[in-house]
Amino acid sequence: MRRKLAAGNWKMNGTGRNLVEIETLARDHAESVVDLILCPPATLIERAARVAGPVLIGGQDCHAEASGAHTGDISALQLRDAGARAVILGHSERREAHEEDSAMVREKARAAHAENLTAIICVGETLAQREAQNTLDIIGAQLSLSVPDSATGHNTVIAYEPIWAIGTGKVPSTDQIGEVHDFIRSRLERRFGAGVGRSVRLLYGGSVKPDNAAQIFAVSNVDGALVGGASLRAADFSPIVAALEATA
Ligand code: PEP
């Protein structure tokens, strides 16, 4: 049985004064039956890890190399050293704004695995791709190119994040979410075999809020959520976590 997972992505939000949100989350879910990961900006990782209790702290990106002349970048080795245990890779905002392609995401995931970080690998289609009925082709290609051979259920999580649902308040129907999650599951099983393929957790991401979380968590092959805006405040994230706990 896969353990459920709620992950939060703070993006470029938060300073030291927001660490209280992580402390509150850790306190409210001290005995949680689900896993929790919070990915604050890199500047907060070390301080967050000190107050996070059972909440694992993650980065939002890493470089594929361990060190070198890469101004402004951060390596998996450095994330681990700062106290991170996971890293989000291939988020659509990075694929778009930093022109990251799936081959780059795969190399980053390899680097994350080498440092014992859980790679949360994001895939998702644009609205135009969905309207052209290309969703499964796009997801299939992203998946096969972005996920390295080193993936296991322990070190890899896949987040399905339709780009048109991120930060927009628009959410796919539960049938649409289920179709993509079932497809991802079958692709993983085909490539890695039933053992690994069934053990990788699949998160849905895109405008998950306290009032739609329970509905989304009832969908087959949804093992949790990757949450952006609603992860910034414990008052919003906590009810989402509670909805997930209710399914575990
Ligand atoms: C995200 O950016 O990963 C995300 C899911 O954002 P939001 O929850 O704000 O749509």
Side-chain angles (χ1 to χ4, degrees):
M1 199 50 192
R2 295 180 296 274
R3 200 170 149 90
K4 304 286 170 92
L5 167 64
N9 173 14
W10 277 14
K11 312 190 186 193
M12 199 173 69
N13 296 295
T15 59
R17 54 198 275 265
N18 301 100
L19 289 169
V20 65
E21 303 294 340
I22 299 177
E23 287 180 62
T24 305
L25 191 70
R27 199 178 51 238
D28 289 355
H29 301 277
E31 306 286 328
S32 187
V33 290
V34 306
D35 289 339
L36 295 172
I37 298 178
L38 214 290
C39 303
T43 49
L44 290 179
I45 288 174
E46 195 156 358
R47 279 179 283 170
R50 270 191 236 123
V51 300
V55 180
L56 297 181
I57 298 301
Q60 299 175 11
D61 178 51
C62 73
H63 197 277
E65 290 174 28
S67 62
H70 302 289
T71 304
D73 281 319
I74 186 161
S75 71
L77 172 72
Q78 292 167 322
L79 287 177
R80 180 85 199 180
D81 180 58
R85 293 294 175 265
V87 59
I88 297 170
L89 296 173
H91 191 283
S92 58
E93 287 156 12
R94 292 210 57 92
R95 287 181 188 262
E96 198 181 326
H98 298 268
E99 298 183 353
E100 291 185 5
D101 62 21
S102 292
M104 291 164 74
V105 174
R106 185 180 63 234
E107 293 314 305
K108 288 169 182 236
R110 261 197 205 124
H113 291 165
E115 293 304 331
N116 239 338
L117 294 175
T118 297
I120 302 173
I121 299 174
C122 303
V123 296
E125 82 285 3
T126 63
L127 188 56
Q129 288 164 339
R130 175 161 283 278
E131 286 174 348
Q133 312 208 331
N134 286 332
T135 298
L136 298 186
D137 287 344
I138 295 294
I139 302 298
Q142 288 178 343
L143 206 57
S144 62
L145 290 171
S146 306
V147 179
D149 291 337
S150 52
T152 67
H154 180 68
N155 67 19
T156 301
V157 171
I158 306 296
Y160 168 53
E161 299 208 309
I163 296 168
W164 51 275
I166 295 177
T168 60
K170 292 185 191 140
V171 181
S173 69
T174 50
D175 282 353
Q176 288 172 323
I177 296 173
E179 180 190 34
V180 175
H181 279 240
D182 289 350
F183 172 77
I184 294 173
R185 177 71 62 215
S186 71
R187 280 298 172 98
L188 291 173
E189 285 182 23
R190 194 170 83 185
R191 176 168 165 197
F192 293 100
V196 169
R198 284 186 199 152
S199 64
V200 173
R201 290 175 289 183
L202 309 185
L203 307 183
Y204 167 77
S207 296
V208 177
K209 306 288 177 208
D211 61 359
N212 61 19
Q215 232 184 329
I216 292 168
F217 294 151
V219 177
S220 86
N221 277 313
V222 171
D223 301 310
L226 177 55
V227 182
S231 72
L232 292 171
R233 293 176 57 243
D236 296 322
F237 198 30
S238 203
I240 294 173
V241 174
L244 188 62
E245 288 169 338
T247 71

Coordinates of all heavy atoms in Angstrom, one line a residue, residues 7-11 88 91-93 122 159-163 165-170 204-209 225-232 240, ligand 1:
A7 N 2.4 17.5 -0.5 CA 3.6 18.3 -0.7 C 3.2 19.7 -1.0 O 2.2 20.0 -1.7 CB 4.4 17.7 -1.8
G8 N 4.0 20.7 -0.4 CA 3.7 22.1 -0.6 C 4.8 22.7 -1.4 O 6.0 22.4 -1.1
N9 N 4.5 23.6 -2.3 CA 5.5 24.4 -3.0 C 5.3 25.9 -2.8 O 4.3 26.4 -3.3 CB 5.3 24.0 -4.5 CG 6.2 24.9 -5.4 OD1 7.1 25.5 -5.0 ND2 5.9 24.9 -6.7
W10 N 6.2 26.5 -2.0 CA 6.1 27.9 -1.7 C 6.5 28.8 -2.8 O 6.4 30.0 -2.8 CB 6.9 28.2 -0.4 CG 6.1 27.9 0.8 CD1 5.0 27.2 0.9 CD2 6.4 28.3 2.2 NE1 4.6 27.1 2.3 CE2 5.4 27.8 3.0 CE3 7.5 29.1 2.7 CZ2 5.4 28.0 4.4 CZ3 7.5 29.3 4.1 CH2 6.5 28.8 4.9
K11 N 7.2 28.2 -3.9 CA 7.7 29.0 -5.0 C 8.6 30.2 -4.4 O 9.2 30.0 -3.4 CB 6.5 29.5 -5.8 CG 5.6 28.4 -6.2 CD 4.6 28.9 -7.3 CE 3.6 27.8 -7.5 NZ 2.8 27.9 -8.6
I88 N 11.6 19.3 -5.9 CA 10.7 19.3 -7.0 C 11.5 19.5 -8.3 O 12.4 20.4 -8.3 CB 9.7 20.5 -6.8 CG1 8.8 20.4 -5.6 CG2 8.8 20.7 -8.1 CD1 8.0 21.6 -5.2
H91 N 9.1 21.5 -12.7 CA 7.8 22.2 -12.6 C 7.6 23.0 -13.8 O 8.6 23.5 -14.4 CB 8.0 23.1 -11.3 CG 6.7 23.8 -11.0 ND1 6.1 24.8 -11.7 CD2 5.8 23.5 -10.0 CE1 5.0 25.2 -11.1 NE2 4.7 24.3 -10.1
S92 N 6.4 23.2 -14.2 CA 6.1 23.9 -15.5 C 6.7 25.3 -15.5 O 7.0 25.8 -16.6 CB 4.6 23.9 -15.8 OG 3.9 24.5 -14.8
E93 N 6.7 25.9 -14.3 CA 7.3 27.3 -14.3 C 8.8 27.3 -14.6 O 9.3 28.3 -15.2 CB 7.0 28.0 -12.9 CG 5.5 28.3 -12.8 CD 5.0 28.4 -11.4 OE1 5.8 28.4 -10.4 OE2 3.8 28.5 -11.2
C122 N 7.6 16.7 -12.1 CA 6.3 17.3 -12.6 C 6.1 17.1 -14.1 O 7.0 17.2 -14.9 CB 6.2 18.7 -12.3 SG 6.4 19.2 -10.6
A159 N 4.2 14.1 -10.1 CA 3.2 15.1 -9.9 C 2.5 15.4 -11.3 O 3.2 15.9 -12.1 CB 3.7 16.3 -9.2
Y160 N 1.3 15.1 -11.4 CA 0.5 15.5 -12.6 C 0.0 16.9 -12.4 O -0.9 17.1 -11.5 CB -0.6 14.5 -13.0 CG -1.5 15.1 -14.0 CD1 -1.0 15.5 -15.2 CD2 -2.9 15.1 -13.8 CE1 -1.9 16.1 -16.2 CE2 -3.7 15.7 -14.8 CZ -3.2 16.2 -15.9 OH -4.0 16.7 -16.9
E161 N 0.5 17.9 -13.1 CA 0.0 19.2 -12.9 C -0.3 19.8 -14.3 O 0.5 20.3 -15.0 CB 1.2 20.1 -12.3 CG 1.6 19.6 -10.9 CD 2.2 20.8 -10.1 OE1 3.0 21.5 -10.6 OE2 1.7 20.9 -9.0
P162 N -1.6 19.8 -14.6 CA -2.0 20.4 -15.9 C -1.7 21.9 -15.8 O -2.1 22.6 -14.8 CB -3.6 20.2 -15.9 CG -3.9 19.5 -14.7 CD -2.7 19.2 -13.9
I163 N -1.0 22.4 -16.7 CA -0.4 23.8 -16.6 C -1.6 24.8 -16.5 O -1.5 25.8 -15.8 CB 0.5 24.1 -17.8 CG1 1.7 23.2 -17.8 CG2 0.9 25.6 -17.8 CD1 2.5 23.2 -19.1
A165 N -4.2 24.5 -14.9 CA -4.9 24.5 -13.6 C -4.0 25.1 -12.5 O -4.5 25.3 -11.4 CB -5.2 23.0 -13.3
I166 N -2.8 25.4 -12.8 CA -1.9 25.9 -11.8 C -2.1 27.4 -11.5 O -2.0 28.3 -12.4 CB -0.4 25.7 -12.2 CG1 -0.1 24.2 -12.3 CG2 0.6 26.4 -11.2 CD1 1.3 23.9 -12.7
G167 N -2.5 27.7 -10.3 CA -2.7 29.1 -9.9 C -3.9 29.8 -10.5 O -4.1 31.0 -10.5
T168 N -4.8 29.0 -11.2 CA -5.9 29.6 -12.0 C -7.3 29.4 -11.3 O -8.2 30.1 -11.7 CB -6.0 29.0 -13.4 OG1 -6.2 27.6 -13.2 CG2 -4.7 29.2 -14.2
G169 N -7.3 28.5 -10.4 CA -8.6 28.2 -9.8 C -9.4 27.2 -10.7 O -10.5 26.7 -10.3
K170 N -8.9 26.9 -11.8 CA -9.5 25.9 -12.7 C -9.0 24.5 -12.3 O -7.8 24.3 -12.2 CB -9.2 26.1 -14.2 CG -9.8 27.4 -14.7 CD -9.6 27.5 -16.2 CE -9.9 28.9 -16.7 NZ -9.0 29.4 -17.6
Y204 N -1.6 14.8 -7.6 CA -2.3 15.7 -8.5 C -1.9 17.1 -8.0 O -1.9 17.4 -6.8 CB -3.8 15.6 -8.5 CG -4.4 16.8 -9.2 CD1 -4.4 16.9 -10.5 CD2 -4.9 17.9 -8.4 CE1 -4.8 18.0 -11.2 CE2 -5.3 19.0 -9.0 CZ -5.3 19.1 -10.4 OH -5.7 20.2 -11.1
G205 N -1.6 18.0 -8.9 CA -1.4 19.4 -8.6 C -2.0 20.4 -9.5 O -2.1 20.2 -10.7
G206 N -2.6 21.5 -9.0 CA -3.2 22.5 -9.8 C -4.5 23.0 -9.1 O -5.5 22.3 -9.1
S207 N -4.4 24.1 -8.4 CA -5.6 24.7 -7.7 C -6.2 23.8 -6.7 O -7.5 23.8 -6.5 CB -6.6 25.2 -8.7 OG -6.0 26.3 -9.5
V208 N -5.4 23.0 -6.0 CA -6.0 22.2 -4.9 C -6.3 23.1 -3.7 O -5.4 23.9 -3.3 CB -5.1 21.0 -4.5 CG1 -5.7 20.3 -3.3 CG2 -4.8 20.1 -5.6
K209 N -7.5 23.1 -3.2 CA -7.9 23.9 -2.1 C -8.6 23.1 -1.0 O -9.0 21.9 -1.3 CB -8.9 25.0 -2.6 CG -8.4 25.8 -3.8 CD -7.3 26.8 -3.4 CE -6.7 27.5 -4.6 NZ -5.4 28.0 -4.5
A225 N -1.3 15.2 -3.1 CA -1.3 16.5 -3.9 C 0.0 17.2 -3.8 O 0.7 17.2 -2.7 CB -2.5 17.4 -3.4
L226 N 0.3 18.0 -4.8 CA 1.3 19.0 -4.8 C 0.6 20.3 -4.8 O -0.2 20.6 -5.8 CB 2.3 18.9 -6.0 CG 3.4 19.9 -6.1 CD1 4.2 20.0 -4.9 CD2 4.3 19.6 -7.3
V227 N 0.8 21.1 -3.8 CA -0.1 22.3 -3.5 C 0.8 23.5 -3.6 O 1.8 23.6 -2.9 CB -0.8 22.2 -2.2 CG1 -1.7 23.4 -1.9 CG2 -1.6 20.9 -2.1
G228 N 0.4 24.5 -4.4 CA 1.1 25.8 -4.4 C 0.5 26.8 -3.5 O 0.8 26.8 -2.3
G229 N -0.3 27.7 -4.0 CA -0.9 28.8 -3.2 C -1.4 28.4 -1.8 O -1.2 29.1 -0.8
A230 N -2.1 27.3 -1.8 CA -2.8 26.9 -0.5 C -1.8 26.2 0.5 O -2.3 25.8 1.5 CB -4.0 26.0 -0.8
S231 N -0.5 26.2 0.1 CA 0.4 25.6 1.1 C 1.1 26.7 1.9 O 1.9 26.4 2.8 CB 1.5 24.7 0.4 OG 2.4 25.5 -0.4
L232 N 0.9 28.0 1.5 CA 1.6 29.1 2.1 C 1.2 29.3 3.6 O 2.0 29.8 4.4 CB 1.4 30.4 1.3 CG 2.0 30.4 -0.1 CD1 1.6 31.6 -0.8 CD2 3.6 30.4 0.1
I240 N -6.3 20.5 3.9 CA -6.0 19.7 2.8 C -5.4 18.4 3.3 O -5.7 17.3 2.8 CB -5.1 20.4 1.7 CG1 -5.9 21.6 1.1 CG2 -4.6 19.5 0.7 CD1 -5.1 22.5 0.2
Ligands
PEP1 C1 2.1 24.4 -8.2 O1 2.6 25.4 -8.6 O2 2.7 23.3 -8.2 C2 0.6 24.4 -7.9 C3 0.0 23.3 -7.9 O3 0.1 25.7 -7.7 P1 -1.4 26.0 -7.2 O4 -1.8 25.0 -6.1 O5 -1.3 27.4 -6.6 O6 -2.3 25.9 -8.4

